Amino acid sequence: MSDAPQQTQHTQQTQHTAHTRHTAAGISPDLVTAIREKVAADGGTIKKELADLVAFPSVHGEEDTKDACRNAAARVAELFAEAGVDLDSHVTVDGSIALTGHIPAPEGRPTVLLYSHYDVQPAGDVSAWTADPWTLDERDGRWYGRGTADCKGNVVMHLAALRALRALKELDDDPVSNIELPGIRIVVEGSEERGSAGLEDLTRTRPELFAADVILIADVGNVAVGRPTLVTTLRGTADVDVRVDTLAGPVHSGMFGGAAPDALAALMRLLDSLRDDDGVTRIDGLDCDQTWEGLGYDAETFRSDAGVLDGVGLVSDGAGASVADLTWARPALIVTGIDCPPATNAVNAIPSTATAHLNLRVPPGMDPKEAQDKLVAHLESHVPWNARVEITRDVLASSFSADVEGDVVKHVEACLAASYGRETERMGEGASIPLCATLLEAVPGADIVLYGVEEPQCRIHSSDESVDPREIRDIAVAEALILATIGR
């Protein structure tokens, strides 16, 4: 709170500079003000729409949430129809519902595709949430609930941007009357959190639904609240499941312990071989020493963002590598789950089998198939006690790297800067959005740009997920600016 007056003064000064600088790019201060006023006046509707969507536990792939997914898709279609875009429903090969819509471009104008998704991660342990995860809850200026940020917050952001432009066009003294809006495509999918298999198939079978000059993917976010950011790289994935078997069945730890091969111990040794003494990922034959050339990630900020406990060190502390190197530029092997006998009410028996899921994040420029091959080879060559190992490969996801020197990226940066009143930053993202590579194949001439309402405080995929409504407002203003001025 003590920094607020100084921060406000800096923001106002920067905003004036940004407006002056970007007027030549077709972004006038009057246009920014007019759009901001419309989006700000729409705040109550934005909150109600987000509350409506959060109420649907739209977790794809679970039997007891099928109705919630269908109802969420129907509600999204209703909301876009009210905003002026009719959406068609497509039942995809994975059983999800994808929504697409199209407003044709006037002659000579580009077509812009707006992407988001309405499916969400499971809530997990509901007792870990401060309030019901399926009810929008406002606390300390943030809106809490599963999907508020990832990605239903981005759905309502698209709606707010479209409504603002529609409202301005209906005014007599329309500040955008001399601007012809582009063609608009809408794509809202229903299985992104389960790999987008349905939408990927739809891009192959119905590529005309995705034809666009520019694709704006709203499923990431800023480096911090109030700091406009473009995500320029995404890591791919090359996951595997590894199962270790050593005995025909569990045996008494007193009678056989000490000599009998312990499957869980064997798995632990095998997993430990994938990291060096500092904890850095090491896979035989795979380059794990890349460096990040861009906006850094301050270690203390990272500790806060990740919720690292006091006194616990970071892997980067003694590794001779930065946080950005390890999270954005290098492969990272994470054990995301282990199946073994539970510790609760443990039986004194030697485990005969144990399984782990290994999530291998692959940086841009690295072939995920090659990375997965080398991971499998590493695992096979480091098995202790000649234990039996079964490795199951998961579906690959390609990495993504934006054309940061392209005119579209620079224009989006200018619109974000004009909305926020400060320079747009660029950062990498350690997560994966497989759809990016799919869309590049389906629409090879399109420019793809990533931004959104998510930022580190959102705690996406965790309990108490939340969104800062100011991020929805400011990203909506920026997106409306993009649509109003692109291609001028």
Side-chain angles (χ1 to χ4, degrees):
M1 293 295 290
S2 61
D3 293 335
Q6 180 179 358
Q7 183 176 358
T8 300
Q9 181 180 5
H10 172 75
T11 300
Q12 290 174 343
Q13 181 180 4
T14 309
Q15 186 170 13
H16 174 75
T17 304
H19 285 168
T20 301
R21 180 174 58 253
H22 295 300
T23 298
I27 307 174
S28 73
D30 289 343
L31 177 58
V32 177
T33 299
I35 291 176
R36 179 169 293 280
E37 288 175 353
K38 292 301 179 186
V39 174
D42 201 26
T45 300
I46 293 170
K47 184 178 182 181
K48 181 183 182 304
E49 290 176 342
L50 186 55
D52 288 349
L53 295 180
V54 167
F56 298 110
S58 48
V59 179
H60 173 67
E62 297 188 0
E63 188 64 32
D64 60 351
T65 58
K66 283 185 176 180
D67 287 343
C69 291
R70 284 193 291 266
N71 293 336
R75 183 58 179 146
V76 170
E78 289 175 355
L79 293 175
F80 273 97
E82 293 170 3
V85 187
D86 292 327
L87 302 185
D88 295 323
S89 296
H90 309 270
V91 178
T92 60
V93 294
D94 64 359
S96 67
I97 298 175
L99 303 168
T100 66
H102 182 214
I103 298 177
E107 185 175 355
R109 299 288 290 129
T111 294
V112 180
L113 187 155
L114 308 180
Y115 166 88
S116 52
H117 64 88
Y118 64 83
D119 68 302
V120 296
Q121 285 283 329
D125 182 4
V126 175
S127 66
W129 290 72
T130 302
D132 175 25
W134 308 114
T135 301
L136 190 72
D137 183 47
E138 183 171 2
R139 301 194 303 273
D140 301 321
R142 296 183 69 91
W143 297 343
Y144 287 80
R146 174 60 86 223
T148 49
D150 183 21
C151 185
K152 293 172 179 177
N154 284 304
V155 173
V156 299
M157 178 276 293
H158 286 323
L159 291 163
L162 293 172
R163 278 197 302 270
L165 292 174
R166 188 177 183 183
L168 287 175
K169 294 295 288 182
E170 293 173 353
L171 294 176
D172 292 335
D173 55 342
D174 172 17
V176 296
S177 59
N178 64 330
I179 297 175
E180 197 170 35
L181 295 179
I184 295 174
R185 286 194 184 275
I186 304 295
V187 175
V188 188
E189 73 164 309
S191 61
E192 192 276 342
E193 299 292 359
R194 291 294 184 269
S196 297
L199 198 66
E200 288 187 3
D201 180 75
L202 193 63
T203 63
R204 289 188 288 269
T205 58
R206 297 287 306 277
E208 73 277 5
L209 298 175
F210 304 88
D213 301 289
V214 178
I215 298 173
L216 304 180
I217 294 183
D219 193 15
V220 288
N222 292 339
V223 66
V225 173
R227 290 172 60 183
T229 309
L230 280 187
V231 172
T232 58
T233 65
L234 296 167
R235 290 192 290 197
T237 57
D239 293 10
V240 301
D241 287 303
V242 55
R243 171 174 170 156
V244 176
D245 291 286
T246 56
L247 302 166
V251 294
H252 194 283
S253 61
M255 295 177 63
F256 300 101
D262 179 331
L264 180 55
L267 178 62
M268 291 166 62
R269 283 201 168 193
L270 183 57
L271 298 180
D272 187 56
S273 74
L274 293 164
R275 291 178 180 265
D276 64 16
D277 291 342
D278 292 314
V280 175
T281 295
R282 296 295 177 197
I283 297 171
D284 292 348
L286 193 66
D287 182 8
C288 297
D289 292 307
Q290 299 89 337
T291 57
W292 174 253
E293 304 294 340
L295 174 70
Y297 201 159
D298 175 73
E300 289 305 311
T301 302
F302 178 85
R303 292 182 66 90
S304 175
D305 290 346
V308 179
L309 299 178
D310 288 345
V312 176
L314 301 180
V315 173
S316 58
D317 288 348
S322 70
V323 168
D325 291 339
L326 297 178
T327 55
W328 299 339
R330 298 185 181 186
L333 192 288
I334 304 96
V335 181
T336 56
I338 293 181
D339 290 334
C340 62
T344 303
N345 299 319
V347 176
N348 289 329
I350 300 171
S352 60
T353 185
T355 302
H357 183 80
L358 310 187
N359 172 221
L360 177 58
R361 299 285 179 170
V362 180
M366 181 174 289
D367 181 359
K369 175 63 165 58
E370 180 184 352
Q372 191 179 63
D373 288 345
K374 290 182 177 179
L375 172 59
V376 170
H378 177 109
L379 293 169
E380 291 174 340
S381 65
H382 286 76
V383 179
W385 312 318
N386 200 32
R388 295 182 183 179
V389 171
E390 179 183 345
I391 300 171
T392 304
R393 297 169 183 258
D394 206 341
V395 176
L396 299 170
S398 297
S399 60
F400 170 78
S401 184
D403 176 13
V404 295
E405 300 304 321
D407 291 340
V408 169
V409 166
K410 292 178 180 178
H411 181 71
V412 172
E413 285 182 323
C415 291
L416 285 165
S419 175
Y420 278 83
R422 61 182 296 167
E423 290 287 351
T424 300
E425 302 175 68
R426 297 175 180 176
M427 72 171 183
E429 171 64 67
S432 303
I433 304 179
L435 183 65
C436 289
T438 302
L439 288 172
L440 279 176
E441 293 179 5
V443 196
D447 288 282
I448 297 181
V449 188
L450 295 92
Y451 57 81
V453 305
E454 303 161 24
E455 37 77 27
Q457 293 183 55
C458 291
R459 291 174 54 88
I460 64 172
H461 294 200
S462 300
S463 57
D464 280 351
E465 178 183 346
S466 68
V467 69
D468 189 318
R470 295 172 298 179
E471 294 292 271
I472 296 178
R473 176 199 67 196
D474 292 341
I475 295 293
V477 171
E479 185 165 282
L481 285 169
I482 295 167
L483 296 174
T485 60
I486 194 165
R488 291 188 62 188

